[in-house]
Amino acid sequence: MMTTTTGFDSSLLSSSSSLEFKFPADRLRRKIYPFKSGGKVIIASSSPSSPTTNMVEISNRNGFMDMYRRRALILGATLPCVLPLLDSTERFGVNAAEVVMDKSLIIREAARKVLSKGKAPGVLRLVFHDAGTFDLNEKSGGMNGSIVYELDRPENAGLKKSLKILEKVKSELDGTEPVSWADMIAVVGAEAVSICGGPLIPVQLGRLDSMVPDPEGKLPQESLDASGLKQCFLRKGFSTQELVALSGAHTLGGKGFGNPTAFDNSYYKILLEKPWISSASMPTMIGLPSDHALAEDEECLRWITKYADDQTKFFEDFKNAYIKLVNSGASWKDA
């Protein structure tokens, strides 16, 4: 997913088309957000209705999202009435009720107004190029929104257009629900995966934005062989399995791995076929040199085969690796 300097699909991570790691605990538990009512601060918790509910296991994604859209609409209509009442209850020594507000859902809903399947690969590429600068040893880079200062770098060619899509969403939300660039990119990237048929990925909020660009030369280069890729990702805190799982995002975009707007396991199936071997013209049409290199490595090949046979396993591992990626090197409001 990085550009001409990455070992990822140029449509997601390279300049020719459309990855860390201070990790907070991975939690599906939602965050707490303060709301002002008069001169008092009311705490709104975004805790789910059932703490044991696993969103990914819900098979009917549309029904799931519709349920939460209804919750958001009801909350939006009743919140102005609820907050004054909370003030009144406090005057009488009554504990204020918790207001359920999923800020991540608000971002996703706003994103769906401007995000299409055709724009999804570029938006997902933003995630990898922002988070992909992380260096575990140097404790630099990561998911911090610094990509907004790095758009003129050769490896980020073409990302200005994708950032403009997010600017529309951010400007809409900042008036009432300010959101950092890091959170915005992480959430909308997850939504890009979802609208193309991929897994629903929960994203924790609270990242702080960097005010300066990250160091250069930190993205995986597309010319790396499998050994080089594994070493590069190891420096970012990722295992070989996670490298292969994240590479599956190359199924989106225009590099020949199946339907360019369908998030599925076609990437792995085509890697196993190695079509670039049968024709001299194929190498420039299907994938990057780094994609081809993965299929020649015995350790990577085991995971490629597993994901080609089991899309559900791929979705689960990609979801987990994505969450790890977007938490890479992040600074948090409550840290």
Side-chain angles (χ1 to χ4, degrees):
M1 287 200 165
M2 301 185 186
T3 73
T4 54
T5 65
T6 183
F8 286 84
D9 175 13
S10 58
S11 67
L12 298 175
L13 297 176
S14 82
S15 58
S16 59
S17 81
S18 24
L19 239 199
E20 169 111 75
F21 282 37
K22 171 185 175 184
F23 303 115
D26 288 335
R27 299 171 299 178
L28 287 180
R29 184 178 180 178
R30 308 237 175 29
K31 295 181 66 62
I32 304 295
Y33 302 99
F35 291 87
K36 287 187 177 180
S37 177
K40 299 182 180 294
V41 175
I42 306 302
I43 299 299
S45 169
S46 61
S47 56
S49 57
S50 173
T52 59
T53 297
N54 186 334
M55 292 186 293
V56 180
E57 294 176 352
I58 298 177
S59 60
N60 190 334
R61 179 181 290 105
N62 291 331
F64 169 78
M65 292 303 293
D66 286 344
M67 175 184 69
Y68 275 87
R69 287 191 186 101
R70 290 194 294 270
R71 176 189 291 181
L73 288 172
I74 293 170
L75 176 60
T78 59
L79 191 58
C81 302
V82 172
L83 292 179
L85 291 176
L86 295 178
D87 263 346
S88 299
T89 59
E90 285 188 344
R91 293 191 187 100
F92 290 97
V94 180
N95 291 333
E98 285 192 334
V99 180
V100 178
M101 170 64 74
D102 190 336
K103 191 174 181 180
S104 175
L105 177 63
I106 294 175
I107 298 173
R108 289 175 184 267
E109 285 296 299
R112 280 180 175 264
K113 297 177 183 178
V114 297
L115 187 60
S116 64
K117 289 184 177 182
K119 296 173 181 177
V123 170
L124 186 55
R125 182 174 165 235
L126 270 176
V127 178
F128 282 79
H129 281 237
D130 193 30
T133 58
F134 181 74
D135 189 297
L136 185 59
N137 296 324
E138 297 179 2
K139 292 181 171 51
S140 64
M143 195 75 211
N144 56 17
S146 67
I147 188 70
V148 301
Y149 306 113
E150 302 158 8
L151 295 175
D152 290 331
R153 295 178 181 179
E155 64 266 30
N156 293 330
L159 287 178
K160 289 182 180 180
K161 183 180 298 185
S162 298
L163 193 67
K164 284 185 177 180
I165 298 172
L166 272 64
E167 283 178 342
K168 295 178 181 178
V169 182
K170 194 172 188 303
S171 61
E172 176 183 330
L173 296 175
D174 278 348
T176 54
E177 291 288 334
V179 58
S180 67
W181 272 115
D183 277 351
M184 173 67 64
I185 294 169
V187 173
V188 181
E191 188 64 19
V193 171
S194 178
I195 69 169
C196 290
L200 183 64
I201 306 174
V203 176
Q204 179 180 349
L205 301 182
R207 297 167 189 78
L208 298 174
D209 283 339
S210 172
M211 295 296 104
V212 295
D214 285 342
E216 296 190 52
K218 297 297 183 180
L219 299 182
Q221 297 182 1
E222 65 182 33
S223 59
L224 290 175
D225 59 14
S227 177
L229 285 170
K230 289 192 285 188
Q231 287 299 316
C232 179
F233 274 76
L234 185 62
R235 290 193 296 270
K236 300 176 185 300
F238 286 109
S239 67
T240 298
Q241 176 187 1
E242 290 166 329
L243 158 63
V244 177
L246 287 171
S247 297
H250 298 180
T251 191
L252 292 182
K255 293 304 285 184
F257 293 110
N259 186 332
T261 61
F263 192 95
D264 54 26
N265 64 342
S266 295
Y267 173 78
Y268 304 105
K269 293 179 179 179
I270 293 174
L271 283 184
L272 290 178
E273 295 170 0
K274 300 181 182 180
W276 53 87
I277 294 178
S278 61
S279 172
S281 63
M282 281 297 182
T284 60
M285 297 176 62
I286 299 179
L288 300 168
S290 54
D291 293 314
H292 305 169
L294 293 179
E296 303 299 331
D297 180 81
E298 183 178 348
E299 184 181 13
C300 293
L301 188 59
R302 289 200 298 269
W303 290 108
I304 291 171
T305 302
K306 184 179 293 290
Y307 294 149
D309 292 338
D310 190 343
Q311 180 168 280
T312 300
K313 174 64 174 172
F314 163 51
F315 277 14
E316 179 67 13
D317 287 355
F318 181 87
K319 179 201 73 172
N320 292 333
Y322 183 95
I323 292 171
K324 183 175 178 178
L325 176 68
V326 297
N327 290 344
S328 312
S331 296
W332 301 86
K333 290 179 181 179
D334 56 358

